[in-house]
Amino acid sequence: MPRVFLSFRKLDSRWMRDRVYRGLSDRLGANEIFKSGQSIPPGADFAEILRWQAAECELMCVLIGPGWLDARGEDGVRLLDRAHDWVRLEIATALQAGNRVVPVLLGDATLLPDASALPTEIAELARLQFLRVPETHLPDGLEHLADAVTALLSDTDTAVEPGHGTAPAADPEPSTTMTAHVSGGGSAYQAARDQTIRLA
């Protein structure tokens, strides 16, 4: 299953979004990157796969370009304000699942949105440390992004989850006490792991 989920708005910064996808695919392998246009096969349940991938990914990169926040539909309503907006649902699903979510700002001047400008269920996005892919130094920016994503995935690889990677501690075996009587003096010592001989 892909480990990295790319969340993006189709109307926003398409050419930079595609460069990000190619850059991460070249570094990690295309099978490690979930991008809806490439990763969902024809005839599959789009909604089910999208929700499942958002919930199960190790890392979600939210690609935010200049038009991401204020993109609107034909009716003039801001897309983020729609309860069924897929970008909103993707981010909310990943946050609720406890996955790592990283805003990736596309372009030199794009700003991280304020919490007040975001729906309540994704307002946390405004508090998360972001990465930036600048247009003026695009190759370096893509390289830095790939390095950062690789490092974040390495962190999840080395983290030991409860119940994983360690054997449960064995219950201590009951000890057997053996008493020997000798004349004079007295001391105790451990004869073996499960036997105690007491001299008295």
Side-chain angles (χ1 to χ4, degrees), residues 113-191:
D114 291 333
S116 60
L118 298 172
T120 303
E121 64 266 34
I122 65 169
E124 181 183 347
L125 188 70
R127 302 194 301 271
L128 302 179
Q129 180 59 47
F130 62 84
L131 294 168
R132 182 181 295 279
V133 180
E135 289 183 66
T136 50
H137 302 285
L138 185 57
D140 290 341
L142 291 172
E143 186 74 13
H144 175 67
L145 175 65
D147 289 343
V149 169
T150 301
L152 290 173
L153 293 177
S154 296
D155 287 346
T156 62
D157 286 338
T158 56
V160 177
E161 299 179 6
H164 294 77
T166 57
D171 293 333
E173 299 180 10
S175 62
T176 301
T177 301
M178 301 174 63
T179 302
H181 294 277
V182 296
S183 59
S187 62
Y189 64 93
Q190 188 75 24

Side-chain angles (χ1 to χ4, degrees), residues 29-51:
N31 60 321
E32 296 283 14
I33 312 298
F34 179 84
K35 182 173 180 283
S36 57
Q38 275 74 25
S39 304
I40 300 179
D45 188 323
F46 179 90
E48 180 181 354
I49 291 177
L50 207 64
R51 289 179 183 273

Side-chain angles (χ1 to χ4, degrees), residues 101-112:
V101 176
V102 178
V104 179
L105 307 184
L106 304 180
D108 299 80
T110 302
L111 300 177
L112 187 66

Side-chain angles (χ1 to χ4, degrees), residues 54-141:
E56 297 297 325
C57 67
E58 295 180 31
L59 172 65
M60 175 176 284
C61 291
V62 181
L63 307 184
I64 300 175
W68 183 88
L69 181 63
D70 200 43
R72 297 176 183 269
E74 294 180 357
D75 55 3
V77 176
R78 194 176 69 145
L79 298 180
L80 268 181
D81 292 329
R82 296 176 174 176
H84 61 275
D85 176 53
W86 279 113
V87 171
R88 175 175 171 172
L89 290 170
E90 291 165 2
I91 299 169
T93 299
L95 290 172
Q96 290 166 9
N99 301 338
R100 187 188 292 270
V101 176
V102 178
V104 179
L105 307 184
L106 304 180
D108 299 80
T110 302
L111 300 177
L112 187 66
D114 291 333
S116 60
L118 298 172
T120 303
E121 64 266 34
I122 65 169
E124 181 183 347
L125 188 70
R127 302 194 301 271
L128 302 179
Q129 180 59 47
F130 62 84
L131 294 168
R132 182 181 295 279
V133 180
E135 289 183 66
T136 50
H137 302 285
L138 185 57
D140 290 341

